[in-house]
Amino acid sequence: MRLDVEGCAHLLHVSTGEVRDWIRRKEFAEPNGMAAGQPFWSERRVLRWLVRGDPAGGERVPIEYWPPAPQPAPYLGAETVHQVGVGLRWRTPQGVVYLFFHHQEWEHGTLELAQHRLAGQAAAIVKVDPDYSHDGPSLSAICPAAPQRVYWPSWTQLSQVLGGPIPFWPAGVRTADLITRWRPEAAPLVVPACPAVDVVPALRLAVAVEPGFIRDTLINMVQIIQQQATDAALLDLEMFQQRAEPRTYIIAAEPMATLSADRDDIPESQRRATWLELLSRSDTLTGQCVRLARRWDGGKDLPAPEVLRVDPEAPAAREWTARLVPCRRTAMFEMVDPEQEAAATLLDPLTDAPAARVGERIHAAIPHRLTTSAPLAEIILEEPIWVRTSDGVIFPAPRHPGFGIGWGNIGRGATALALLIHQLLHDITTVPQPPAGAPSGLLALTARPWPTGTVLTREQLQQALDTPREDI
């Protein structure tokens, strides 16, 4: 962008007359060129001129325009900024630079909040973001004296401003304690990666139960979670080292090796038996483990992993609601009422799945398969979708964890429903699969904008399955 004299004055927050005086005394930046007989400047040239002539003016200038430091900037230690995080601090000729690392212990702090907290203390505030740019982690920054200007310097530019390498902690080993204790002369630490979920409840429960399948299943879950955290930290470290120039960084910490573990180390039948046993317990520690399982992988091994909000006044839902019975609260209700807001805790006696009346809705856990041997009779298109079997019993339609089912357009929901129908026509106890490879005739049927409450009979479903898509 070309700046005339007035534009330069606006950029520098001074009067036009002051800029003209600098030009007349030959104290101002050399113009980039002439246009219509008048000089013009680039923003980059003007800002570089400002910082070279007045280092203290750096607080109004993005650090990408600051001159490289001739020697390493003195490190001032770390400072904890309320609701932002731990900031590393360096003193440069332009002022103090604060560097914050994105990590899971933060309270979702923002640059704007940091600018407010550090008014008058920082010349530049920089945040290391979770993604990557061409030469290292992506950075976002703000000028404390010009808070409207959020900008994005490069990792290399920050290293040049600080006059040396910057410490780096890969995701998973970025804790407030480690960042606070770092010193430039410190050797890299080898530390266990921090899982994204709190595994302590599972460990406490594992040592509280008798040796056996429950303990083995819980320990296996913790080992897998820890291995996933370690793998994620190693991957982040690898990505960083592939992009950043070696002279621009110091590895402050790296993840400790952990034992490899896999879900299949424990048979599926044993995993499911573990959770059936645990869900019947009423202690709070087991409830915490249920929440842990749901946060980790959606509760894949729980007997009813999906939770839906049901309007009990809808026609099909009313029929299902009528068979629910009161039930004392156990760990299984952590799935449907983790905040303990329910006016009533209920049980579906045909599936043993929990339900909770919260306000005007019923929160229902949906089993991963139908507990019946009666063949499919019809599909009822309500919210949620229902399955009726040949003996007249109605069930919430099962679904694959992470994939909803629906109708009305050719999307993932209609695909998932078409595939589920195909499976249920052949095996009523099927476990839903990810939505891929649905028969075209059924997909054409589920993609139609049917009115809510439409009933699709087994004959209609079978005909759609047997009919080419273009004929539906």
Side-chain angles (χ1 to χ4, degrees), residues 307-331:
V307 176
L308 297 177
R309 289 169 170 77
V310 179
D311 177 3
E313 298 305 317
R318 190 182 304 118
E319 182 179 344
W320 168 78
T321 303
R323 76 167 183 250
L324 301 181
V325 297
C327 176
R328 72 181 181 90
R329 187 178 183 96
T330 62

Side-chain angles (χ1 to χ4, degrees), residues 283-305:
D283 58 275
T284 59
L285 184 59
T286 302
Q288 293 172 19
C289 289
V290 174
R291 291 199 295 273
L292 164 62
R294 287 182 54 77
R295 285 191 59 199
W296 171 46
D297 68 353
K300 290 181 180 178
D301 290 328
L302 299 177

Side-chain angles (χ1 to χ4, degrees), residues 152-204:
W152 298 270
S154 72
W155 183 267
T156 300
Q157 288 170 338
L158 179 60
S159 173
Q160 291 173 344
V161 165
L162 298 180
I166 309 166
F168 178 76
W169 292 262
V173 296
R174 273 180 208 164
T175 65
D177 179 62
L178 289 178
I179 295 175
T180 300
R181 291 191 291 118
W182 180 81
R183 297 294 181 271
E185 67 278 5
L189 298 176
V190 179
V191 298
C194 296
V197 293
D198 181 10
V199 299
V200 171
L203 293 174
R204 292 178 63 193

Side-chain angles (χ1 to χ4, degrees), residues 61-361:
V61 177
I63 62 172
E64 54 197 330
Y65 301 123
W66 293 10
Q71 57 189 17
Y75 179 63
L76 303 179
E79 178 182 335
T80 300
V81 181
H82 180 56
Q83 293 185 327
V84 177
V86 178
L88 305 179
R89 302 173 299 155
W90 288 265
R91 183 176 299 284
T92 72
Q94 289 72 39
V96 178
V97 174
Y98 278 74
L99 177 64
F100 294 92
F101 276 81
H102 173 89
H103 66 88
Q104 63 190 36
E105 295 182 10
W106 282 15
E107 299 180 51
H108 307 291
T110 65
L111 285 171
E112 291 77 8
L113 181 58
Q115 187 275 335
H116 174 72
R117 297 266 192 253
L118 299 173
Q121 300 180 52
I125 301 171
V126 184
K127 182 171 177 287
V128 180
D129 294 322
D131 56 339
Y132 281 89
S133 63
H134 66 284
D135 70 341
S138 296
L139 304 177
S140 51
I142 197 166
C143 300
Q148 73 279 8
R149 293 202 61 182
V150 175
Y151 59 98
W152 298 270
S154 72
W155 183 267
T156 300
Q157 288 170 338
L158 179 60
S159 173
Q160 291 173 344
V161 165
L162 298 180
I166 309 166
F168 178 76
W169 292 262
V173 296
R174 273 180 208 164
T175 65
D177 179 62
L178 289 178
I179 295 175
T180 300
R181 291 191 291 118
W182 180 81
R183 297 294 181 271
E185 67 278 5
L189 298 176
V190 179
V191 298
C194 296
V197 293
D198 181 10
V199 299
V200 171
L203 293 174
R204 292 178 63 193
L205 185 58
V207 299
V209 299
E210 295 289 337
F213 68 95
I214 293 179
R215 175 178 292 184
D216 292 345
T217 301
L218 291 172
I219 293 298
N220 173 255
M221 179 177 70
V222 173
Q223 287 179 317
I224 295 171
I225 293 172
Q226 184 62 52
Q227 182 63 46
Q228 289 173 339
T230 302
D231 291 345
L234 288 171
L235 177 60
D236 191 46
L237 183 59
E238 179 184 354
M239 292 176 61
F240 172 79
Q241 292 178 311
Q242 287 176 350
R243 302 203 181 201
E245 292 289 335
R247 61 184 174 81
T248 66
Y249 68 84
I250 299 171
I251 298 301
E254 55 189 42
M256 181 183 77
T258 54
L259 291 176
S260 178
D262 187 85
R263 186 187 295 270
D264 292 337
D265 293 343
I266 303 294
E268 180 181 1
S269 58
Q270 178 176 320
R271 300 197 310 266
R272 295 197 179 280
T274 292
W275 288 108
L276 281 173
E277 177 76 19
L278 291 179
L279 291 175
S280 66
R281 294 169 57 114
S282 57
D283 58 275
T284 59
L285 184 59
T286 302
Q288 293 172 19
C289 289
V290 174
R291 291 199 295 273
L292 164 62
R294 287 182 54 77
R295 285 191 59 199
W296 171 46
D297 68 353
K300 290 181 180 178
D301 290 328
L302 299 177
E306 294 296 296
V307 176
L308 297 177
R309 289 169 170 77
V310 179
D311 177 3
E313 298 305 317
R318 190 182 304 118
E319 182 179 344
W320 168 78
T321 303
R323 76 167 183 250
L324 301 181
V325 297
C327 176
R328 72 181 181 90
R329 187 178 183 96
T330 62
M332 67 179 170
F333 285 94
E334 294 296 333
M335 296 186 290
V336 295
D337 183 36
E339 303 300 325
Q340 300 193 24
E341 301 173 320
T345 52
L346 308 166
L347 187 73
D348 182 345
L350 296 186
T351 65
D352 289 330
R357 188 178 294 275
V358 181
E360 297 181 353
R361 299 279 174 170

